[in-house]
Amino acid sequence: MAPHDFWQEIHPPGTFAVDGEFASFHVAVLEDGRQLRLPIRVLADGQHALASLIVNQASFAVLDTLAERLAETIRPMSIDVVAGLPTLGLTLAAAVAQKLGHNRYVPLGTSRKFWYRDELSVALSSITTPTQQKRLYIDPRMLPLLEGRRVALIDDVISSGSSIVAGLALLAGSGIEPVVIGAAMLQSDRWRERLEAAGPQWIARTVGVFATPILERTAAGRWRAPPA
């Protein structure tokens, strides 16, 4: 596949084999069996890799499907407002809010406007930009939309858990505790330890459209999921 061909189509169930070894892409499986091809990104050790999702490069059809599935998963929780994490989580959060019938959502951000307050910010790091030192902010004017409401905190991918924990800490500073954390992809299980350390309730409150494992390099130079 050409690099720009990823994330462009949701395939019917059974289109691709999901067991065995992969060369250039991993097959993610949605709850209803439909499939999405994701590029494989090799980690620094050269022996492990992750399936990648860049949601703002996805086709509108793929984004629509992911947002629809996530919205349907969290709909029974009677969400009043969706908050989105930057940067790629904002694309998904806006789409999920629309699927829930909301007329707006609350974007968190990393760009400090002059009216923002330092006490309404926390340090932020990301697995995709580990060397960049950022802060996560909430616009003070958005707080009334969240206070006393049933909030869903949305990101595109939950991987290390650092971005989600930063979002939880930022909201907690204003007395806001989301009723659910949602993502398109739960990438491996590494996020579980960090979320559990943030609070024992968060694992049970975290949902995704699909999950992907850490892949291992085979002797033939291909990739496979580790044995269960």
Side-chain angles (χ1 to χ4, degrees), residues 146-171:
L146 299 171
E147 293 170 334
R149 313 297 295 280
R150 293 180 64 81
V151 176
L153 181 61
I154 303 296
D155 205 353
D156 62 325
V157 175
I158 300 178
S159 185
S160 69
S162 59
S163 296
I164 284 290
V165 168
L168 293 173
L170 178 62
L171 296 178

Side-chain angles (χ1 to χ4, degrees), residues 20-196:
E21 300 179 0
F22 301 93
S24 61
F25 64 84
H26 177 75
V27 180
V29 181
L30 281 61
E31 189 177 77
D32 61 6
R34 287 181 293 171
Q35 299 178 331
L36 177 64
R37 288 184 292 179
L38 303 173
I40 293 172
R41 308 296 191 195
V42 182
L43 298 179
D45 66 3
Q47 299 303 308
H48 296 88
L50 294 170
S52 174
L53 173 66
I54 308 296
V55 76
N56 67 354
Q57 296 178 7
S59 69
F60 295 138
V62 168
L63 174 61
D64 187 73
T65 296
L66 297 178
E68 178 69 30
R69 296 312 310 149
L70 186 54
E72 289 308 305
T73 299
I74 68 176
R75 190 181 300 278
M77 302 169 195
S78 301
I79 301 303
D80 296 316
V81 60
V82 170
L85 280 164
T87 301
L88 300 180
L90 301 182
T91 299
L92 182 63
V96 170
Q98 288 183 303
K99 294 293 184 183
L100 292 173
H102 299 178
N103 58 14
R104 69 186 302 173
Y105 82 114
V106 173
L108 307 180
T110 55
S111 176
R112 191 188 193 285
K113 310 305 180 187
F114 70 85
W115 63 87
Y116 284 13
R117 304 202 303 264
D118 287 339
E119 66 268 25
L120 294 178
S121 72
V122 296
L124 174 67
S125 64
S126 167
I127 190 170
T128 54
T129 55
T131 62
Q132 296 183 23
Q133 298 300 313
K134 301 180 181 179
R135 293 195 71 78
L136 181 66
Y137 297 91
I138 184 169
D139 189 324
R141 300 179 301 176
M142 296 289 100
L143 283 178
L145 299 175
L146 299 171
E147 293 170 334
R149 313 297 295 280
R150 293 180 64 81
V151 176
L153 181 61
I154 303 296
D155 205 353
D156 62 325
V157 175
I158 300 178
S159 185
S160 69
S162 59
S163 296
I164 284 290
V165 168
L168 293 173
L170 178 62
L171 296 178
S174 298
I176 299 160
E177 182 172 300
V179 297
V180 66
I181 296 167
M185 177 167 69
L186 302 178
Q187 189 182 57
S188 79
D189 288 325
R190 296 178 300 171
W191 55 272
R192 290 179 174 272
E193 182 177 358
R194 188 162 287 174
L195 258 68
E196 191 169 35

